């Protein structure tokens, strides 16, 4: 029963480079979420995958951000042409179903620093 | 649009005292879930407690209880007998129900709780 895992745990990149962040949800979890948390701030919703339905991308801040998920497995969040304002912790969470009663469990996050 | 409001950016409480963290929400759905999470300085998000909109009893989990007042749309977290290890950021969150396109979870801005010895 492993929890949600994310890799890398830390990523330092130069402005303008592309980065790819990975999330492994809890096995069998249908729903997967990505959040961004800037230093000292709350969680900002980015994108939500809900089983086989179309993802809710309403939180993606710009077209430089994209995410994919194949079935109920791994998800990758890609940030193209990174900017310094992209520096944050990127948190992934999964929940067993898409029911409103279902708790989401978080991974440890990826700390992204854009120089 | 759904919205979560936490009006207390920071709180200081004496060890062993009880503390209430405020949370109000706004939704037009009848079915929704309310969650509280704790985020210590290590950064991990720890699930604390859940309350469903149809639950008649207030949720309790050990020293945590949720004071759910549906008519007022409030879901305050109560921590009894606070401990030094309770010092952390606390986030209130909501997930709407039947409209699947709106079932993402939205978080409040958080309350930083500091426990004094």
């Amino acid at each position: 029963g492993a929890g949600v895992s994310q890799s890398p745990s830390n990523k330092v990149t130069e402005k303008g480079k592309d980065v790819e962040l990975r999330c492994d949800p809890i096995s069998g979890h249908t729903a997967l979420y990505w959040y961004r948390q800037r230093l000292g701030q709350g969680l900002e919703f980015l994108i939500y995958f809900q089983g086989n339905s179309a993802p809710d991308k309403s939180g993606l801040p710009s077209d430089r951000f994209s995410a994919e998920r194949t079935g109920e497995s791994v998800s990758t969040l890609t940030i193209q042409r990174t900017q310094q304002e992209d520096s944050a912790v990127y948190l992934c969470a999964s929940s067993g179903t898409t029911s409103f009663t279902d708790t989401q469990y978080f991974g440890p996050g990826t700390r992204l620093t854009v120089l | 649009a759904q919205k979560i409001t936490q009006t207390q950016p920071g709180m200081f409480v004496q060890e062993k005292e009880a503390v209430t963290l405020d949370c109000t929400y706004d939704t037009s759905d009848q079915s929704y879930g309310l969650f509280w999470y704790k985020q210590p300085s290590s950064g991990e998000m720890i699930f604390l407690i859940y309350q469903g909109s149809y639950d008649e009893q207030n949720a309790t989990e050990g020293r945590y209880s949720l004071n759910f007042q549906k008519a007022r749309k409030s879901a305050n977290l109560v921590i009894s007998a606070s401990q030094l290890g309770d010092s952390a950021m606390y986030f209130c969150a909501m997930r709407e129900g039947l409209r699947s396109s709106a079932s993402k979870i939205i978080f409040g801005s958080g309350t930083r709780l500091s426990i004094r010895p």
Side-chain angles (χ1 to χ4, degrees):
Chain A
V4 179
S5 61
Q6 292 185 247
S7 61
S9 55
N10 280 284
K11 177 70 176 179
V12 180
T13 190
E14 293 179 348
K15 178 181 173 180
K17 301 281 189 183
D18 298 352
V19 296
E20 192 172 276
L21 312 180
R22 176 187 170 106
C23 172
D24 279 274
I26 293 172
S27 178
H29 274 195
T30 303
L32 186 148
Y33 311 78
W34 283 99
Y35 295 89
R36 177 170 70 179
Q37 186 176 30
R38 291 193 168 111
L39 186 64
Q41 298 187 19
L43 276 71
E44 178 185 359
F45 168 77
L46 296 178
I47 188 168
Y48 165 41
F49 294 92
Q50 40 187 343
N52 294 321
S53 302
D56 179 349
K57 303 180 180 180
S58 60
L60 294 178
S62 76
D63 58 7
R64 295 187 297 106
F65 287 73
S66 63
E68 293 183 349
R69 187 187 188 197
T70 304
E72 296 182 359
S73 61
V74 171
S75 175
T76 55
L77 175 69
T78 302
I79 309 173
Q80 296 178 309
R81 305 181 302 281
T82 52
Q83 304 293 314
Q84 288 182 333
E85 64 262 28
D86 298 335
S87 295
V89 175
Y90 289 82
L91 290 161
C92 174
S94 70
S95 63
T97 72
T98 56
S99 166
F100 70 92
T101 63
D102 224 358
T103 300
Q104 58 177 352
Y105 296 92
F106 282 81
T110 293
R111 183 176 299 278
L112 175 66
T113 303
V114 182
L115 301 176
Chain B
Q2 53 176 199
K3 183 179 178 182
I4 298 285
T5 302
Q6 294 181 253
T7 57
Q8 306 153 309
M11 289 186 69
F12 287 89
V13 173
Q14 201 66 33
E15 188 180 10
K16 300 182 183 177
E17 290 183 351
V19 56
T20 297
L21 306 181
D22 295 341
C23 173
T24 59
Y25 59 92
D26 183 25
T27 179
S28 55
D29 266 357
Q30 295 301 309
S31 304
Y32 51 90
L34 297 157
F35 305 83
W36 277 93
Y37 286 83
K38 172 184 179 181
Q39 188 177 44
S41 56
S42 59
E44 61 186 311
M45 290 287 286
I46 303 168
F47 166 72
L48 295 178
I49 196 166
Y50 162 82
Q51 179 85 42
S53 59
Y54 296 117
D55 294 341
E56 295 184 352
Q57 302 280 342
N58 284 344
T60 60
E61 290 286 349
R63 294 187 299 113
Y64 305 108
S65 60
L66 202 152
N67 184 2
F68 181 46
Q69 298 186 42
K70 193 170 182 177
R72 297 180 59 186
K73 293 189 175 177
S74 76
N76 298 340
L77 176 70
V78 180
I79 306 174
S80 64
S82 58
Q83 302 172 356
L84 296 178
D86 294 334
S87 294
M89 281 289 286
Y90 288 81
F91 292 98
C92 180
M94 178 175 70
R95 185 181 196 179
E96 291 176 333
L98 298 181
R99 293 182 294 136
S100 61
S101 63
S103 54
K104 62 192 178 191
I105 298 181
I106 299 296
F107 284 77
S109 56
T111 295
R112 181 170 298 282
L113 176 64
S114 299
I115 307 298
R116 292 187 176 121

